[in-house]
């Protein structure tokens, strides 16, 4: 199956291990990702918090480019990019006034198509966990994981139409299909502090701290993410959070695609595990996975 | 816990004359954002769910109430505009599906247009620098953005240790590929700035 691929800025920068593992895993599952030609930034928090029309227009250009490539489905691994693309596509469908303005700005008819799915959704809906389970050669036996979805994969549910908005299960089922165990915990969709990493670090230390503590209390060995912002916040601020709370955390923050790749038989090196700040190797080695 | 800059009582609980309420702000928001706050029943589920309500000076429910009361000035200067994490919990829990994050964005945009000083200038600055990067290259260059932000805030060594670690992990890379059709990106910026004022 051919899918338009929107990597986004983080995946060509800080989160290149997410990009790498996404491409490997999709190829392995027979999904042909076609990178959107000359894509631009989705607009991120900056655009929607300062200029709404700009935010919809930047996202719309990407949808339009995908449409011109003849593709009907766009996927974005970054939950932030996905959120912007999906919100724009929803607004263009449901608000004719904005749609009219945007089509003038972009200079084409409004890109109603293609449909936008986040990467997790694409994998569980279009491939399905049974088919994914069939590809597993190294079951992730012994790993106790906290599946962390963050805000934007499921919310607002009216727009995303994906999984349960506050107690989602798709990533849990996927990780179980890989042979891992997932913990029950309360912070699956709480916010990590998002785009405030640099400008209001205290917010990230507060909100991210609640997430780390909840995962630790539930007995997780690691937190599994589907967003570079979640990964960066929980990983890079882990020490500061520990200092603040007086608890020493050691929770590797791993992209779900890295774990899929591992279960499919790729090596940690191919999947960029060494780029994670909180080192994951002692955990993987203890279970004979590295 | 991050600091609360202003107490809600400073402006929320001022006496209002009920015969002097005006619905122009409510109408404006309906027209400009397509969000109708009329159906708010003040249940408070939005504030109960909100990720950052514990540091908000005005909670989401109070915000909707102030809109109905036509009290624009506290809304444009509230700290919540600069601490909302856009997590979408409020709108998802609202029985009336009132899109609070959209209203938040609208009020922030309006406050900026009117030149109202944000309570957290560094948040606005960060977003402006990010937009600058998008306008210039079509994409965000994360490491350059971090450096620029630190230079502008005079906080030269903020996260220097972290920066070093990330550098050795190969996470900080300047000059990734840019958008080729930069003319189009500039035109999108110009057109939207013109249209939105
Ligand atoms: S949840 Fe909705 S209806 Fe309830 S107070 Fe908030 S905005 Fe009003
Ligand atoms: S989007 Fe903003 S107002 Fe709504 S719940 Fe999140 S932090 Fe609170």
């Amino acid at each position: 199956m051919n899918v338009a691929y929107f990597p986004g800025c983080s995946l060509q920068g800080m989160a290149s291990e997410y990009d790498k593992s996404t491409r490997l895993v999709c190829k392995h599952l027979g999904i042909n990702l076609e990178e959107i030609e000359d894509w631009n930034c989705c607009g991120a928090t900056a655009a929607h918090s300062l200029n709404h029309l700009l935010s919809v227009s930047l996202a719309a250009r990407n949808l339009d480019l995908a449409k011109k490539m003849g593709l009907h489905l766009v996927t974005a691994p970054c939950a932030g990019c996905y959120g912007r693309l999906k919100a724009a596509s929803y607004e263009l469908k449901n608000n004719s006034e904005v749609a009219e303005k945007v089509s003038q700005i972009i200079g084409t008819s409004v890109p109603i198509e293609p449909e936008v799915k986040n990467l997790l959704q694409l994998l569980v809906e279009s491939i399905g966990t049974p088919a994914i389970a069939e590809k597993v050669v190294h079951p992730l036996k012994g790993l106790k994981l906290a599946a962390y979805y963050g805000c934007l994969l499921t919310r607002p549910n009216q727009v995303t139409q994906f999984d349960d908005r506050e107690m989602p299960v798709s990533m849990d089922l996927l990780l179980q299909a890989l042979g891992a165990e997932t913990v029950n915990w309360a912070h699956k969709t709480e916010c990590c502090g998002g785009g405030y990493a640099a400008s209001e670090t205290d917010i990230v230390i507060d909100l991210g701290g609640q997430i780390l503590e909840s995962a630790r209390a539930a007995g997780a060995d690691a937190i599994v993410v589907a967003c570079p912002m979640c990964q960066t916040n929980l990983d890079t601020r882990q020490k500061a959070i520990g200092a603040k709370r007086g608890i020493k955390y050691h929770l590797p923050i791993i992209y779900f695609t890295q774990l899929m790749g591992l279960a499919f038989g790729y090596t940690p090196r191919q999947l960029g595990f060494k780029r994670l700040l909180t080192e994951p190797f002692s955990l993987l080695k203890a279970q004979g996975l590295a | 816990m991050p600091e609360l800059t202003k107490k809600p009582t400073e402006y929320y609980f001022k006496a209002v004359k009920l015969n002097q309420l005006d619905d122009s702000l409510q109408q404006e928001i309906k027209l400009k954002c397509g969000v109708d706050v009329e159906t708010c029943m003040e249940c408070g589920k939005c504030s109960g769910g909100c990720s950052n309500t514990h540091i908000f000076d005005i909670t989401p429910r109070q915000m909707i109430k102030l809109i109905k009361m036509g009290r624009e000035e506290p809304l444009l200067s509230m700290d919540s505009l600069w601490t909302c994490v856009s997590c979408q919990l409020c709108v998802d829990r609202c029985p009336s599906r009132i899109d609070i994050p959209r209203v938040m964005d609208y009020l922030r945009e309006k406050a900026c247009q009117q030149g109202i000083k944000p309570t957290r200038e560094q948040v606005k600055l960060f977003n402006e620098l990010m937009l600058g990067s998008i306008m210039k290259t079509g994409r965000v260059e994360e490491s350059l953005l971090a450096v620029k932000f630190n230079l502008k805030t005079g906080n030269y060594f903020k996260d220097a240790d972290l920066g070093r670690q990330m550098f050795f992990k190969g996470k900080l890379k300047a000059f990734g590929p840019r958008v080729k059709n930069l003319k189009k990106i500039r035109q999108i910026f110009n057109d939207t700035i013109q249209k939105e004022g």
Side-chain angles (χ1 to χ4, degrees):
Chain A
M1 91 188 271
N2 296 328
V3 181
Y5 180 52
F6 184 82
C9 306
S10 281
L11 271 74
Q12 76 171 22
M14 287 205 299
S16 66
E17 66 273 33
Y18 195 15
D19 179 56
K20 216 170 161 186
S21 53
T22 295
R23 290 178 194 265
L24 274 180
V25 162
C26 285
K27 195 166 170 206
H28 200 86
L29 292 168
I31 299 174
N32 179 27
L33 295 178
E34 292 189 42
E35 185 166 333
I36 297 178
E37 280 159 31
D38 207 34
W39 57 269
N40 57 266
C41 170
C42 69
T45 320
H48 80 77
S49 60
L50 296 177
N51 184 333
H52 181 72
L53 190 59
L54 173 64
S55 142
V56 183
S57 305
L58 285 173
R61 175 174 178 263
N62 293 315
L63 298 179
D64 188 51
L65 291 172
K67 186 168 136 187
K68 286 188 178 132
M69 290 164 72
L71 298 166
H72 305 288
L73 184 58
V74 175
T75 194
C78 167
C81 300
Y82 161 72
R84 291 333 302 164
L85 296 179
K86 190 76 186 176
S89 123
Y90 183 84
E91 187 156 3
L92 294 171
K93 276 186 202 139
N94 294 291
N95 185 336
S96 54
E97 207 182 311
V98 171
E100 175 78 20
K101 278 190 197 166
V102 170
S103 74
Q104 276 174 17
I105 292 165
I106 301 295
T108 55
S109 64
V110 176
I112 295 271
E113 274 188 302
E115 198 192 341
V116 183
K117 284 188 180 188
N118 65 66
L119 182 68
L120 176 66
Q121 180 180 22
L122 175 75
L123 294 178
V124 297
E125 287 179 0
S126 305
I127 305 290
T129 40
I132 290 170
E134 274 174 28
K135 300 272 185 192
V136 172
V137 293
H138 288 155
L140 307 180
K141 282 253 166 342
L143 287 187
K144 266 181 98 176
L145 306 170
Y148 176 55
Y149 302 73
C151 308
L152 297 172
L153 294 187
T154 61
R155 281 198 306 266
N157 207 255
Q158 194 179 0
V159 174
T160 63
Q161 302 280 326
F162 172 58
D163 212 333
D164 187 90
R165 59 191 74 172
E166 291 191 49
M167 226 1 125
V169 293
S170 50
M171 196 199 295
D172 290 77
L173 296 176
L174 174 71
L175 295 171
Q176 288 163 18
L178 303 178
E181 186 189 331
T182 60
V183 300
N184 276 327
W185 66 313
H187 283 64
K188 284 182 170 185
T189 63
E190 295 297 315
C191 178
C192 68
Y196 285 118
S199 58
E200 275 295 337
T201 313
D202 280 359
I203 290 182
V204 171
I205 290 180
D206 176 20
L207 299 181
Q210 296 176 28
I211 292 161
L212 285 185
E213 182 50 28
S214 174
R216 187 195 66 89
D221 299 325
I223 297 179
V224 186
V225 293
C227 172
M229 268 190 300
C230 301
Q231 202 286 331
T232 307
N233 283 342
L234 296 178
D235 199 7
T236 62
R237 302 297 172 188
Q238 199 162 131
K239 261 197 194 145
I241 289 168
K244 178 105 190 177
R245 291 182 164 249
I247 297 175
K248 201 163 183 295
Y249 291 101
H250 188 92
L251 288 165
I253 314 294
I254 310 173
Y255 290 107
F256 77 101
T257 45
Q258 289 180 299
L259 290 171
M260 287 179 79
L262 205 59
F264 292 168
Y266 294 97
T267 63
R269 173 188 275 273
Q270 286 172 299
L271 298 159
F273 271 90
K274 72 171 190 315
R275 290 169 52 85
L276 307 177
L277 240 55
T278 308
E279 69 79 25
F281 293 104
S282 37
L283 174 67
L284 297 181
K285 275 194 189 124
Q287 306 303 337
L289 294 163
Chain B
M1 200 184 286
E3 251 177 64
L4 191 66
T5 54
K6 270 194 210 164
K7 293 215 170 58
T9 41
E10 273 178 42
Y11 32 59
Y12 185 63
F13 296 111
K14 263 195 220 154
V16 286
K17 293 200 172 113
L18 288 174
N19 62 352
Q20 283 178 11
L21 294 182
D22 109 53
D23 72 345
S24 59
L25 184 60
Q26 182 173 345
Q27 295 308 334
E28 177 185 327
I29 283 173
K30 190 170 171 186
L31 191 76
K32 293 278 180 63
C33 327
V35 178
D36 187 0
V37 302
E38 184 60 30
T39 51
C40 171
M41 57 197 93
E42 299 188 35
C43 64
K45 284 189 74 179
C46 48
S47 300
C50 174
S51 297
N52 256 346
T53 203
H54 56 294
I55 60 162
F56 275 10
D57 53 350
I58 293 180
T59 67
R61 186 192 62 83
Q62 290 172 333
M63 179 177 121
I64 299 300
K65 177 101 199 203
L66 286 168
I67 291 170
K68 282 183 153 180
M69 286 159 53
R71 305 262 333 257
E72 182 170 285
E73 118 287 332
L75 290 169
L76 296 187
S77 58
M78 65 183 178
D79 190 38
S80 312
L81 286 183
W82 305 99
T83 53
C84 165
V85 283
S86 307
C87 67
Q88 316 287 326
L89 262 164
C90 47
V91 50
D92 235 18
R93 290 207 183 163
C94 174
S96 290
R97 287 255 171 273
I98 294 176
D99 192 343
I100 293 167
R102 174 72 190 98
V103 176
M104 228 15 139
D105 285 349
Y106 179 75
L107 293 171
R108 192 184 307 103
E109 204 173 312
K110 189 163 184 186
C112 291
Q113 279 166 11
Q114 294 189 3
I116 293 170
K117 198 166 142 22
T119 50
R120 302 185 191 230
E121 283 182 80
Q122 72 282 11
V123 173
K124 182 170 178 228
L125 174 71
F126 187 82
N127 286 336
E128 282 172 347
L129 289 174
M130 191 184 245
L131 282 188
S133 167
I134 303 172
M135 185 153 87
K136 224 171 122 197
T137 67
R139 296 183 187 169
V140 175
E141 313 225 352
E142 291 160 329
S143 13
L144 288 180
L145 179 62
V147 170
K148 270 197 195 145
F149 179 71
N150 285 357
L151 288 177
K152 288 258 182 186
T153 49
N155 225 337
Y156 307 119
F157 299 108
K158 183 174 194 290
D159 297 328
D161 242 10
L162 189 59
R164 220 167 336 209
Q165 277 183 55
M166 290 175 76
F167 178 78
F168 285 115
K169 292 278 177 185
K171 291 229 162 201
L172 299 184
K173 214 172 37 182
F175 310 114
R178 301 175 162 206
V179 167
K180 289 190 211 92
N181 192 354
L182 280 174
K183 238 172 87 187
K184 186 77 199 166
I185 302 295
R186 305 258 153 87
Q187 176 242 313
I188 292 177
F189 270 83
N190 286 335
D191 286 5
T192 51
I193 289 165
Q194 248 167 34
K195 282 208 166 62
E196 297 286 82

